[in-house]
Each structure stands twice: as structure tokens, then as C-alpha cells.
């Protein structure tokens, strides 16, 4: 049985690694700026509870946002978690509405003990997504029409993504106090195209601008958690984690061309300008400070609150000049389990979750800082006679712009399912 699980994990890891480095094709125009649309980090258990994770502890959840939590894994266990999610985004402005949907792998995580007091975890998670597609045709009836240029079609298209690979360890300092460290490797690329084609296609020169941004480098997360038993089975846990600001290696290239239907040199395509730069100090990602507190009864219920602050004012992105602002995120979450270890009642061993979150986006467009708020929920179904389980979550988030200033609203519905495999892999055999 164990060999089958190992083969399954290896197969899934190899198949999905390439997909995780891909992109989620939901069409958000906010992906045009800086690093694109940032991913909300967390397992599906965390996301169903509004995103809280800094002070949560669970023996079969790999809470990578605070590496100190790895010490909550069992001393003889191996945990594997793979998630798949579906997102549907709807854009609304004063006149129009547009929707897009896409499915993708969300994460691959593994956790296991190294000794009785030292634990390890590793995984691949998305950092940001750069996909968008915007097309507009200007005709004589359009207020933007100019008789000099005539009718034309503009296309703005983005692709690519940025991914994080992490490997970390948690150490149990005392019975109640744990600390942890994550090594984070960030890598990926974003491509953006701006293209203008005139209606008089046969006799006109058209124009295109292609941008390519690549980033790579590493950083560290530092985490700490303290748990106090209030009375029998009741607990209070506090936690904090910190990521320092860091310069990353980045490449930026922009190529502007004009072209026509006649493809012959030197007239088409004709390079108007070309710029390429490699830098170690032109892209800096900001410091992030996270605090969390949870309280509850072991294996019965837990309630918690997280606060996250990120200093985007001091960040910079090679080749981008869109304004950024500091972000403040508030999260609330709750989990209830009627009877975690029941083997007679399917409904009583279901884990129920609910949460909410409120934050501001890191982008400032037309002097408007986009606001984000949403609700989430979900549940987990534990397999009979096992600690393995299937976890489901849903989230509805609204990005609120300012339509009067040309900043549209977005509504995002996300749903996901993950498979948590739990096995005792470090128990010495008494019999061969």
C-alpha cells in the first residue's frame, strides 16, 4: 500500500509541477500592472476560514505561511496535500459586464518529521498571475475616433505567472513554543503585448509593443508560535511570521515594431525601438509582517483572527511604474467538528469551516486604491478508519474600484478541492 502511495505522489508531482508554473486564465485587467494579480497564500483549510493561518496548528495540514506550525505534525507521519481550484471572474463597469472561468492546480505540499522535535515541509505554490485579454475596435461612431487614424482595433494581452518553491523546517523549542524557517525560491515570467491594427489593413503600417519581464531569487520566512493549554482540551495559540524585503534578479525587455501585410525586409517588420536590461537591484519585493491568534477546544472547534501588513510603498518592479501602496489585511475564521474520530457516522466527522476577509489591493490606479472584501467557507471529509481526507472550500471576493474614475469592479468566485494523504511512515516494524 505504501509503495502505491509513493508512486501516486511522485506521478502527481511530476505531472502538475509544469502546470503550477503556468497561469490561471481568468481575465483580470489588473494583471497588466507590476507583478500582476497576487495570489492569496494558504491551504484550502486556511482559505475556507477567511485565510487565517499564522496561529493555526493541525496534525495533517501543512501551514506554510508560518513554518513554526510544522511542529504540529505527528512524529511518525507523512502528509501530502495536492489542490485543484476553479475560479470565475466577472468584470463590471458603467455599461458592460464580462466573465471568464479557468481551472488549475493550486498547490503541492509535503510534510514529515526529521526527529522528535524537528519537522520539515516543502511545496510549490503560485505567487502571481499575469493573464488578461482586452480588445477594442474604434469606429466613426466612437468618441475616441480620429479622422487621421481612421478605424482601428487595439489588443492588449498578457500571459505568464510567478511561482514560489519553498522548503522549510520547524523546531519545537519547548513543549509550548515553536520556531520555524522557510527558504523561498521565486521564479517566473510575465509577457505583455500592446497591438494596434488599422482598418485599412493592406496599405497601413500597424504597430505592436512586446514586453517581457523575468524574475528569480530567494528569500526567507521566519515564524514563531506559542500555545497555552487553558484547561483540559482548551487552548490559546498566538503566532507571528515575517518576510524581509529583498532585491531579486530581473530581466526586462521591450520591443516596439511596425509591420504591414507585406512581410519583407527592411520594411516589415521594422524595429522602432528595442530595450533590454538585466539588473540585481531594480526589483524589490516588500517586507511582510503577520500576526495571528486562535482559541478553541482540541479536535472540536477553533476560532481565530489574522492581521497582515505588507510595505508595498518601498517596493519596485523592473520596467513598471504603476503606483503601489501598503496593504492591510484582516481575516476571521471558524472551524467546528462534531466528532473528528467517529467511524460510525459520516456526518459527525465532517469538518465545517467559515470565514471572512477585508483588505486593500497593492495597486493605486487613477488615484484609486482598490478595496477587497469577501466571505469563505468549506468542509473536509475524513476517510473512514484513516486521517486522510478530502477538503473543499469556496470563496467570494469583490474588488471594488471607482467606475466614475474608470476603475472597474471585479467579482471572483473560487472553489477548490484538495486531497490530504496521511500515513505513518516512520514507525519501526516489529515483524518483517
Amino acid at each position: 500500500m505504501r509503495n502505491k502511495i509513493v508512486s501516486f505522489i511522485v506521478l502527481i508531482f511530476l505531472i502538475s509541477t509544469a502546470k503550477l508554473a503556468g497561469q490561471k486564465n481568468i481575465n483580470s485587467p489588473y494583471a497588466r500592472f507590476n507583478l500582476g494579480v497576487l495570489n492569496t497564500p494558504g491551504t484550502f483549510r486556511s482559505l475556507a476560514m477567511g485565510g487565517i493561518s499564522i496561529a493555526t496548528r493541525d496534525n495533517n495540514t501543512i501551514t506554510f505561511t508560518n513554518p513554526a506550525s510544522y511542529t504540529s505534525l505527528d512524529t511518525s507521519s507523512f502528509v501530502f496535500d495536492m489542490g485543484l481550484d476553479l475560479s470565475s471572474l466577472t468584470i463590471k463597469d458603467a455599461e458592460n459586464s464580462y466573465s471568464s472561468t479557468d481551472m488549475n492546480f493550486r498547490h503541492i505540499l509535503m510534510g514529515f518529521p526529521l526527529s522528535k522535535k524537528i519537522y520539515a515541509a516543502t511545496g510549490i505554490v503560485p505567487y502571481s498571475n499575469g493573464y488578461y485579454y482586452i480588445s477594442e475596435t474604434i469606429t466613426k461612431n466612437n468618441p475616441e475616433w480620429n479622422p487621421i487614424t481612421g478605424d482601428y482595433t487595439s489588443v492588449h494581452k498578457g500571459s505568464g505567472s510567478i511561482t514560489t518553491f519553498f522548503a522549510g523546517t520547524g523546531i519545537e523549542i519547548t513543549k509550548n513554543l515553536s520556531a520555524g524557517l522557510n527558504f523561498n525560491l521565486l521564479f517566473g515570467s510575465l509577457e505583455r503585448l500592446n497591438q494596434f491594427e488599422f482598418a485599412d489593413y493592406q496599405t497601413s503600417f500597424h504597430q505592436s509593443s512586446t514586453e517581457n519581464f523575468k524574475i528569480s531569487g530567494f528569500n526567507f520566512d521566519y515564524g514563531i508560535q506559542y500555545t497555552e493549554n487553558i484547561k483540559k482540551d482548551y487552548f490559546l495559540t498566538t503566532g507571528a511570521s515575517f518576510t524581509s524585503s529583498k532585491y531579486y534578479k530581473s530581466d526586462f525587455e521591450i520591443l516596439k515594431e511596425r509591420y504591414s501585410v507585406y512581410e519583407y525586409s527592411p520594411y516589415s517588420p521594422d524595429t522602432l525601438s528595442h530595450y533590454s536590461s538585466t539588473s540585481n537591484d531594480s526589483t524589490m519585493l516588500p517586507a511582510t509582517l503577520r500576526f495571528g491568534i486562535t482559541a478553541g477546544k482540541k479536535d472540536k472547534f477553533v476560532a481565530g483572527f489574522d492581521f497582515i501588513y505588507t510595505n508595498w510603498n518601498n517596493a519596485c518592479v523592473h520596467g513598471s511604474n504603476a503606483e503601489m501602496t501598503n496593504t492591510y489585511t484582516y481575516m476571521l475564521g471558524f472551524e467546528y467538528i462534531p466528532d473528528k474520530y467517529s467511524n460510525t457516522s459520516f456526518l459527525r466527522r465532517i469538518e465545517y469551516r467559515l470565514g471572512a476577509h477585508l483588505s486593500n489591493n497593492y495597486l493605486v490606479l487613477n488615484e484609486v486604491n482598490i478595496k477587497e472584501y469577501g466571505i469563505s467557507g468549506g468542509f473536509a471529509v475524513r476517510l473512514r478508519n484513516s486521517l486522510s481526507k478530502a477538503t473543499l472550500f469556496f470563496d467570494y471576493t469583490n474588488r471594488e474600484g471607482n467606475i466614475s474614475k474608470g476603475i472597474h469592479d471585479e467579482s471572483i468566485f473560487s472553489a477548490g478541492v484538495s486531497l490530504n494523504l496521511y500515513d505513518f511512515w516512520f514507525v519501526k516494524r516489529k515483524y518483517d
Side-chain angles (χ1 to χ4, degrees):
M1 178 64 180
R2 183 173 302 172
N3 290 334
K4 291 181 179 179
I5 294 178
V6 172
S7 301
F8 172 77
I9 291 173
V10 172
L11 178 63
I12 292 298
F13 186 86
L14 292 175
I15 292 175
S16 55
T17 296
K19 185 64 175 176
L20 277 167
Q23 64 187 28
K24 180 173 287 296
N25 297 323
I26 54 173
N27 188 5
S28 173
Y30 294 134
R32 296 180 65 186
F33 306 100
N34 294 325
L35 297 171
V37 175
L38 302 181
N39 176 69
T40 301
T43 62
F44 288 174
R45 177 179 186 250
S46 165
L47 297 177
M49 299 167 66
I52 67 167
S53 59
I54 307 306
T56 59
R57 297 176 64 81
D58 186 67
N59 65 341
N60 60 349
T61 300
I62 303 167
T63 310
F64 58 88
T65 50
N66 187 346
S69 69
Y70 301 156
T71 60
S72 63
L73 298 174
D74 292 327
T75 56
S76 58
S77 66
F78 180 92
V79 178
F80 174 80
D81 190 329
M82 180 196 70
L84 179 74
D85 73 344
L86 171 72
S87 294
S88 178
L89 180 144
T90 300
I91 302 171
K92 294 181 180 179
D93 59 21
E95 300 177 354
N96 303 303
S97 177
Y98 173 83
S99 297
S100 62
T101 302
D102 188 53
M103 180 180 290
N104 207 341
F105 280 104
R106 177 60 180 255
H107 62 255
I108 301 175
L109 310 171
M110 289 181 284
F112 46 89
L114 298 177
S115 70
K116 289 185 177 180
K117 293 184 178 295
I118 303 175
Y119 302 74
T122 185
I124 302 176
V125 294
Y127 180 83
S128 71
N129 173 53
Y131 178 81
Y132 62 91
Y133 185 90
I134 306 169
S135 178
E136 183 181 24
T137 299
I138 302 298
T139 62
K140 196 170 185 178
N141 296 327
N142 194 291
E144 299 179 21
W145 186 81
N146 189 315
I148 297 177
T149 58
D151 297 353
Y152 69 92
T153 298
S154 64
V155 174
H156 307 278
K157 182 167 61 174
S159 60
S161 64
I162 300 174
T163 302
T164 298
F165 165 81
F166 76 89
T169 184
I171 302 175
E172 186 180 292
I173 300 174
T174 68
K175 182 179 179 181
N176 297 338
L177 180 65
S178 298
L181 174 72
N182 271 345
F183 167 83
N184 298 318
L185 177 63
L186 193 73
F187 60 94
S189 62
L190 302 174
E191 297 80 37
R192 290 163 178 154
L193 170 68
N194 299 300
Q195 183 174 279
F196 299 87
E197 291 190 346
F198 299 95
D200 189 0
Y201 194 81
Q202 298 294 325
T203 60
S204 297
F205 278 105
H206 316 286
Q207 293 190 11
S208 70
S209 172
T210 304
E211 299 179 16
N212 289 279
F213 170 79
K214 295 181 180 179
I215 185 173
S216 61
F218 66 90
N219 202 356
F220 295 93
D221 294 332
Y222 310 89
I224 191 168
Q225 281 187 341
Y226 180 81
T227 298
E228 183 68 37
N229 293 324
I230 303 173
K231 58 179 181 178
K232 184 180 179 180
D233 292 335
Y234 288 87
F235 65 88
L236 177 68
T237 301
T238 58
S241 67
F242 174 72
T243 306
S244 61
S245 59
K246 179 73 164 54
Y247 282 102
Y248 290 79
K249 180 182 178 182
S250 58
D251 300 323
F252 179 73
E253 180 181 23
I254 180 168
L255 173 64
K256 295 182 179 181
E257 295 180 309
R258 68 175 185 176
Y259 61 96
S260 71
V261 67
Y262 306 104
E263 297 183 1
Y264 56 88
S265 180
Y267 304 106
S268 179
D270 180 23
T271 299
L272 301 177
S273 65
H274 177 254
Y275 172 81
S276 180
S277 172
T278 298
S279 175
N280 292 318
D281 60 4
S282 295
T283 298
M284 186 184 76
L285 300 191
T288 299
L289 188 60
R290 312 170 189 89
F291 294 99
I293 183 170
T294 58
K297 183 178 181 180
K298 183 180 179 181
D299 296 332
K300 195 67 175 180
F301 70 88
V302 60
F305 169 78
D306 277 11
F307 170 74
I308 302 175
Y309 167 76
T310 304
N311 187 20
W312 282 102
N313 271 342
N314 292 334
C316 55
V317 179
H318 198 177
S320 297
N321 56 11
E323 184 180 353
M324 294 179 282
T325 188
N326 296 339
T327 59
Y328 304 83
T329 304
Y330 307 88
M331 302 171 176
L332 287 170
F334 180 77
E335 178 184 68
Y336 174 70
I337 311 171
D339 186 352
K340 184 174 183 177
Y341 300 104
S342 173
N343 284 320
T344 59
S345 173
F346 170 78
L347 294 178
R348 289 188 60 79
R349 65 176 181 264
I350 293 178
E351 303 170 7
Y352 301 92
R353 295 159 186 155
L354 191 65
H357 53 90
L358 172 67
S359 65
N360 62 304
N361 197 283
Y362 79 118
L363 292 176
V364 177
L365 305 174
N366 293 347
E367 300 182 345
V368 175
N369 183 210
I370 303 156
K371 308 299 181 184
E372 298 187 5
Y373 52 89
I375 58 173
S376 61
F379 56 91
V381 180
R382 188 175 65 83
L383 306 182
R384 189 175 181 179
N385 297 321
S386 171
L387 290 179
S388 297
K389 59 187 176 182
T391 301
L392 295 93
F393 95 99
F394 66 85
D395 179 272
Y396 177 81
T397 296
N398 187 69
R399 293 192 186 114
E400 186 178 86
N402 189 321
I403 294 177
S404 65
K405 292 188 176 182
I407 308 301
H408 66 275
D409 294 340
E410 291 184 353
S411 299
I412 309 101
F413 176 79
S414 300
V417 58
S418 66
L419 178 64
N420 302 78
L421 295 178
Y422 181 103
D423 199 5
F424 293 99
W425 281 18
F426 299 93
V427 176
K428 292 184 179 180
R429 295 178 180 268
K430 293 184 177 180
Y431 305 98
D432 291 326

